[in-house]
Amino acid sequence: MTSVAETVGTDRASAADEQPQGVSRAVVALLAIAVGAAVANIYYVQPLLNLVARSLGVSDTAAGFLVTCSQAGYLLGLALLVPLGDLRERRRLITTLLAGAAVALSACAAAPGFAVLAGALLAAGALSAVAQIIVPLAATLAAPEERGRVVGTVMSGLLIGILSARIVSGVVAELGGYRLIFALGAAAMLTTALLLRRALPVLPPVKQMPYRSALASVVELIGAEPVLRQRMALGALQMAGFTMFWTAVAFLLGGPPYDYGEGLIGLFGLAGVAGALVAPLAGRLADRGHGRRALTGFLGAILLSWALLAAGGSSLIALIAGIVLLDIGIQGSQISNQSRIYELAPEARSRLTTAYMVALFFGGVVGSILAANVYDAAGWHTTCALGASLALTALAIWATTESRLRR
């Protein structure tokens, strides 16, 4: 088997041949929209579970399985489809996957029963991992001096897609039923595919290798790149805390002293837009060589946010301030992490993305499990204490590993 060192040495010449000259703001905006629209697909079903259960005559527990289907599909897509970004002509690959997502979402809209809907959501989730092919593509298209800013802007589209999907889905379902949002999502995927086909240049593969070898090389990259392992650990801890908060806060806001309804709870996601706005700033700091100091600040912001969130158990102002600070810290940290790992092996950016995002997703799954169990057993303040512990662990890992890696 070819070693990672040999692979990197062989491929760097081909990566250099691309010679990125920069990318227009219009194309960056289109890529950000595409990423947001794609990732939104896996969140549409979350606020619709009660409606789906009534419509299809299944239990609430069974309906909850639909969320698992979309998330499991996305994980499969990260592991099995994203590495293709290094092996295939990327314009064709991206537009094909977007068109496939449109077909899967159309199947969701037309599903006659629960089993078909679950299968279609699994497929839609897998194909929506195209978002994580577009992000490293944006890094490739960008000139080196603007790479962090471009990645930050595209990633802000991803965060807005996550935050807005639940809100839009709930509103559309109230107006036209749960099938309408899937039909609109299918139309969005098809439109995005057509626009990207017109806007993107033909982008030849950066690596010629068998698909099975590409999958194996993801594991090899993890073993060979200590910086990648470091950022995977940080990303997993950050996402665990982020997911834990957004899972537990629904329980907090639904009970005393707030007693908010589901519609109002969903609007709290708008506070997270601050994180999307800070993403380009995080990218610019990375471009100017301040990535390490910026990451230290973002990790510190996450830790501080948990103190505000704990006070938010009885103070709405503290809760909103904590959400804003948490999202700024999380989004800034993710941009810093991705900007750094994309420097490691430009010819393997899709495979690096696979490694990093699988770790991130795993952290999110652990966070959701922790939130449900810890909040039920010990309440809001213990949940926040656990979140602060995760943030403190990330800071400790950063302090100890970065000093060693810089020697």
Side-chain angles (χ1 to χ4, degrees), residues 15 18 20 23 31 35 74 78 81-87 90 93-94 129-143 147-148 150-152 154-155 158 200 203 206 338-339 341-343 345-357:
E18 293 188 27
V23 57
L31 292 173
V35 165
Y74 194 67
L78 288 174
L81 295 180
V82 173
L84 290 172
D86 292 332
L87 311 180
R90 283 160 284 177
L93 175 64
I94 288 169
V130 66
Q132 299 303 334
I133 298 176
I134 296 173
V135 175
L137 169 65
T140 297
L141 291 174
R147 184 164 293 130
V150 169
V151 171
V154 173
M155 285 296 293
L158 183 143
L200 293 178
L203 296 158
V206 295
Q338 288 185 270
S339 297
I341 66 171
Y342 288 154
E343 296 172 356
E347 72 293 335
R349 285 186 178 130
S350 288
R351 284 167 283 161
L352 290 167
T353 299
T354 292
Y356 180 74
M357 293 306 299

Side-chain angles (χ1 to χ4, degrees), residues 47-48 164-177 180-181 263 267:
L48 308 179
S164 62
R166 300 178 183 92
I167 299 171
V168 172
S169 179
V171 171
V172 169
E174 286 188 7
L175 295 175
L180 179 58
I181 186 61
L267 292 177

Side-chain angles (χ1 to χ4, degrees), residues 8-403:
V8 170
T10 301
D11 294 342
R12 286 227 162 106
S14 62
D17 289 343
E18 293 188 27
Q19 293 292 330
Q21 300 299 316
V23 57
S24 71
R25 292 181 181 273
V27 171
V28 173
L30 179 57
L31 292 173
I33 292 169
V35 165
V39 80
N41 295 336
I42 66 175
Y43 294 98
Y44 286 143
V45 75
Q46 289 187 358
L48 308 179
L49 298 180
N50 291 331
L51 188 58
V52 171
R54 291 195 301 269
S55 177
L56 298 182
V58 299
S59 67
D60 291 344
T61 301
F65 178 69
L66 296 174
V67 175
T68 304
C69 289
S70 63
Q71 298 282 353
Y74 194 67
L75 180 58
L76 286 172
L78 288 174
L80 301 179
L81 295 180
V82 173
L84 290 172
D86 292 332
L87 311 180
R88 300 288 185 269
E89 194 279 303
R90 283 160 284 177
R91 185 181 71 169
R92 178 182 297 176
L93 175 64
I94 288 169
T95 54
T96 299
L97 292 176
L98 287 170
V103 173
L105 289 168
S106 297
C108 292
F114 179 81
V116 175
L117 178 58
L121 282 170
L122 184 72
L127 292 162
S128 296
V130 66
Q132 299 303 334
I133 298 176
I134 296 173
V135 175
L137 169 65
T140 297
L141 291 174
E145 67 274 8
E146 65 175 3
R147 184 164 293 130
R149 176 185 62 80
V150 169
V151 171
T153 301
V154 173
M155 285 296 293
S156 70
L158 183 143
L159 182 61
I160 291 173
I162 293 173
L163 295 173
S164 62
R166 300 178 183 92
I167 299 171
V168 172
S169 179
V171 171
V172 169
E174 286 188 7
L175 295 175
Y178 79 87
R179 298 180 187 273
L180 179 58
I181 186 61
F182 295 119
L184 292 176
M189 289 295 94
L190 191 57
T191 301
T192 303
L194 293 173
L195 290 174
L196 286 177
R197 184 167 182 81
R198 291 176 61 88
L200 293 178
V202 174
L203 296 158
V206 295
K207 174 63 180 172
Q208 299 291 336
M209 65 189 306
Y211 174 66
R212 183 179 298 179
S213 298
L215 295 182
S217 72
V218 174
V219 179
E220 293 181 357
L221 282 166
I222 295 171
E225 298 286 359
V227 171
L228 176 59
R229 296 195 299 273
Q230 175 202 54
R231 300 308 173 107
M232 287 171 66
L234 294 177
L237 286 165
Q238 292 153 14
M239 187 55 65
F242 183 77
T243 306
M244 189 172 68
F245 166 75
W246 283 108
T247 301
V249 76
F251 302 135
L252 172 72
L253 294 174
Y258 296 107
D259 294 313
Y260 292 155
E262 292 180 355
L264 189 55
I265 291 172
L267 292 177
F268 274 76
L270 295 175
V273 172
L277 297 177
V278 82
L281 172 61
R284 290 190 185 96
L285 289 172
D287 289 337
R288 295 170 184 172
H290 304 307
R292 291 185 177 91
R293 279 180 285 182
L295 181 56
T296 302
F298 289 130
L299 292 174
I302 296 170
L303 181 60
L304 178 59
S305 73
W306 285 106
L308 291 169
L309 293 170
S314 56
S315 168
L316 182 60
I317 293 175
L319 182 64
I320 293 174
I323 292 173
V324 171
L325 192 59
L326 176 69
D327 278 27
I328 287 174
I330 293 291
Q331 184 70 357
S333 297
Q334 300 303 337
I335 299 306
S336 297
N337 290 338
Q338 288 185 270
S339 297
R340 181 67 181 94
I341 66 171
Y342 288 154
E343 296 172 356
L344 298 175
E347 72 293 335
R349 285 186 178 130
S350 288
R351 284 167 283 161
L352 290 167
T353 299
T354 292
Y356 180 74
M357 293 306 299
V358 167
L360 207 72
F361 190 92
F362 178 78
V365 171
V366 172
S368 63
I369 294 171
L370 286 174
N373 288 278
V374 173
Y375 187 89
D376 183 59
W380 178 250
H381 288 96
T382 302
T383 303
C384 291
L386 180 57
S389 299
L390 293 173
L392 192 59
T393 301
L395 269 170
I397 290 174
W398 170 241
T400 55
T401 60
E402 187 62 14
S403 60

